[in-house]
Every structure is written in C-alpha cells, then in structure tokens.
Amino acid sequence: MDGDCATGTAHTKLVDPFGRHVKYLRVSVTDRCDLRCQYCMAEDMTFLPKAELLTLEELDRVCSAFVHKGVKKIRLTGGEPLVRKDVLTLVRRLGRHLRSGELDELTLTTNGTQLTKYAKPLFDAGVRRINVSVDTLNAEKFHAITRRGDLDQVLAGIKAAKDAGLGIKINAVALKGDNEHEFDDLIRWCGDSGYDLTLIETMPMGEIDGDRTDQYLPLSLVRARLAEKWTLTDLDFNSGGPARYVRVEETGRKLGFITPLSHNFCESCNRVRLTCTGTLYMCLGQNDAADLRFPMRVSKDDELLEAAIDEAIGRKPKGHDFIIDRRHKGPAVSRHMSVTGG
Ligand code: SAM
Ligand code: SF4
C-alpha cells in the first residue's frame, strides 16, 4: 500500500506479514535513569557510553521516517526520557508532525521526577497525555522499590503536569508482596485526582538482582480481588496500546490491565520499538532486531533508512512467549526494559 507524505514523496506503509499495520513507535531516548526500580534494573547498572547514542537530530530523522510511513503515535520512553540532555529539543521538533496532521499523538512515559521542570514545556510542544509510573503511595516502600526515589518529588511532578493541562495515566507494576495490597489506595487516589490507572505484570526482561518468580503476580488474580470491592465494567476502549480496560464505576475512571504473561496480546500488536542506539525491535519479547543507525549514517537521504525499516517490518514475528515459573527463572530476553523502552 502506498501513501504520500507532506513533501509529496511516495512512502510504502508498514504492514507486517500477519497483516498488522504498524502505527505506533516507541522510542527509548536514553538507557539511563535516575532511579533503579528493582524489577527493571540491577542496582549496579552499566550504561552505554554516550558516544553510542543517536544524536537528537538522528532520533528526529528516524522518527520522521516512521511518520512518513504511516506511524500515527510516538511514545518517548527510556530509561528515563526526561534525563536525556536537551530532550525538549527533540519533543519540539517532533511537534511539527502534530501540527501538519501526519502524527495523531506524541506522548511519553516517565518516572515523574523531572516533571515540575518539564510539564509546561511538554504541553507547549504539543504533548497532551503522559504516563507516569508510581507503584505505591507509601513513601518508604516507594524509596525501597525504586532504590532511591522520593515520592513527594514525583507527586509534585504529577501535580505540575495536571496543572499544565496534561492528561495523566498512572502505571503500576504489580509486585507480589510489595504493592499487592495497595491497589485499592491507588484506585481511590486516581479517582480523586482524575487520573486513569494501568496495572502491569512483571515481564522477564534483563538480569535483575532478585528472583522474578518471587515478584510475579498474575493480574487475573488481582482483578478477581478488586472485583470484590469495586464495580468493574468491561470497556471496548483501546488506547492503541496493549492494555485491556474496565471502568471503575465508583470513581468513573478507567483501569487497565497489561497481561503479557497471563494473557498474550500479540494478535493486535501495532507497535515497534527503537532503542537509543538506533536498533529496531519488532517485538518486545523476542531478540530479533534491525540496525537503523548504519543505513541512516551512510547516506544523507532516507532511501536506505526506509528500505531497512521495510525489511525489518517484514520480519515482525507473530508474538512473544514470555514464561515465568520455577523452571524459567532467567530473563526471556537478555536486554533490560530500560533498553527497549516500556
Ligand atoms: N522511566 C520511565 C518510567 O519508569 O515510566 C520510562 C521507562 S520504564 C522502562 C517504562 C515502564 O516499564 C514503567 O511503567 C515501568 O514500570 C515498566 N517496567 C520496567 N521494567 C519492567 C518489567 N520487567 N516488567 C514490567 N514492566 C516493567
Ligand atoms: Fe528507571 Fe523507569 Fe526502569 Fe524505574 S522503570 S528504573 S524509572 S527506567
């Protein structure tokens, strides 16, 4: 299928071998982070040398090639996207695709620590919604799970985002024994504050210090427990991401469940992920990847880059097969979530 971009050049649209249109690009703009969440990173992480990262201009160039090929939604993530130096320059540049109408949404997933500084400029650049990760409202537990985070700082950031006019969705990873009895508090807080909430199952990505079987909490169990207290109505709503949503009737807010382990969501997958070094992963749970940095760097025009993107989409696999049980304690893929971006 062909389409025309704003410049009038024909660009092949992105359809994978299973007929799924790729319309959603997640971009990890840095593998670095100011926190060390237990399920995401090891305490003592080795980060990439800065010289290996795509420049902001190169990130813009790859993202723009995807936009010309029909991608409608871009999510910046990481690591922590707001610790990448001059990240606002990238956000402002990508904002031009919102203004031209080629892109429907530019958004980001953040841990919230930098939001008091960035919320307003993000809104001004065209961002309208953000996801903020908060696993617990207990300050001590928050500090323990993130190994260094200050809950008050994050809550002040979320408040600044709300005041700036940004829509907010809270992400919480469901962790057995850590926050499993706090979902009622999170639902109540989100209801009172006007935020949606998504619960996420831990995914077996990258070596961490602990044992993942100790962390894994199936969301089917969480949902059954929540249904004893709250009235949950299934919704048809699809945010373009992998979550299944219900409405919590008592608060009127949406509650999402991302269940890569207990329910595989691959059949509707419209996403690919770009790392900060220019590697494209066609599936979060598989190791196959395509290098876009080389074809981009060898020529000034985008012909080779676009050909590499087409070739990669032609290899998008049908799905992943994450398993966490006593026999499969190691990671399903060796890279951390902070490399590919959550
Ligand atoms: N630093 C930002 C943040 O924390 O929101 C963005 C990157 S983070 C990798 C994106 C999301 O992935 C977060 O909501 C985080 O909780 C989630 N995440 C990280 N590691 C995960 C894992 N092993 N399983 C499930 N979710 C994970
Ligand atoms: Fe950092 Fe986000 Fe990973 Fe936590 S989940 S360590 S905030 S990248």
Side-chain angles (χ1 to χ4, degrees), residues 133-150:
S133 304
V134 182
D135 299 324
T136 169
L137 293 170
N138 175 313
E140 260 175 52
K141 217 175 264 183
F142 184 84
H143 187 81
I145 292 175
T146 59
R147 293 201 188 97
R148 59 195 64 185
D150 174 358

Side-chain angles (χ1 to χ4, degrees), residues 27-99:
V27 185
S28 174
V29 299
T30 175
D31 63 326
R32 284 165 199 257
C33 187
D34 51 344
L35 304 182
R36 296 286 183 281
C37 303
Q38 289 177 18
Y39 48 80
C40 178
M41 293 189 181
E43 168 101 65
D44 184 17
M45 284 289 284
T46 311
F47 294 110
L48 292 163
K50 287 195 176 144
E52 287 204 18
L53 266 54
L54 297 189
T55 64
L56 294 175
E57 291 74 17
E58 287 173 329
L59 281 168
D60 177 37
R61 199 174 144 196
V62 184
C63 289
S64 299
F66 273 96
V67 170
H68 296 329
K69 286 180 150 297
V71 159
K72 292 288 180 195
K73 174 168 174 176
I74 293 180
R75 176 177 300 279
L76 303 183
T77 175
E80 172 47 40
L82 296 180
V83 304
R84 170 91 196 233
K85 192 161 173 273
D86 295 329
V87 68
L88 272 180
T89 308
L90 176 66
V91 179
R92 288 187 181 120
R93 280 193 197 185
L94 292 175
R96 75 188 182 284
H97 299 304
L98 293 168
R99 292 188 294 278

Side-chain angles (χ1 to χ4, degrees), residues 173-237:
V173 176
L175 299 163
K176 188 153 85 186
D178 274 331
N179 64 359
E180 69 174 294
H181 299 296
E182 295 186 37
F183 302 132
D184 292 321
D185 291 345
L186 280 167
I187 289 175
R188 222 169 283 119
W189 172 63
C190 286
D192 291 346
S193 316
Y195 311 146
D196 290 330
L197 172 65
T198 294
L199 303 178
I200 307 174
E201 280 175 355
T202 47
M203 294 175 229
M205 299 192 61
E207 293 290 350
I208 55 170
D209 298 327
D211 177 349
R212 284 187 197 277
T213 40
D214 294 340
Q215 293 183 326
Y216 176 58
L217 178 63
L219 287 184
S220 45
L221 179 68
V222 174
R223 185 182 164 147
R225 281 188 199 155
L226 291 177
E228 290 171 11
K229 268 215 175 137
W230 306 89
T231 316
L232 308 179
T233 309
D234 279 314
L235 292 177
D236 241 353
F237 172 82

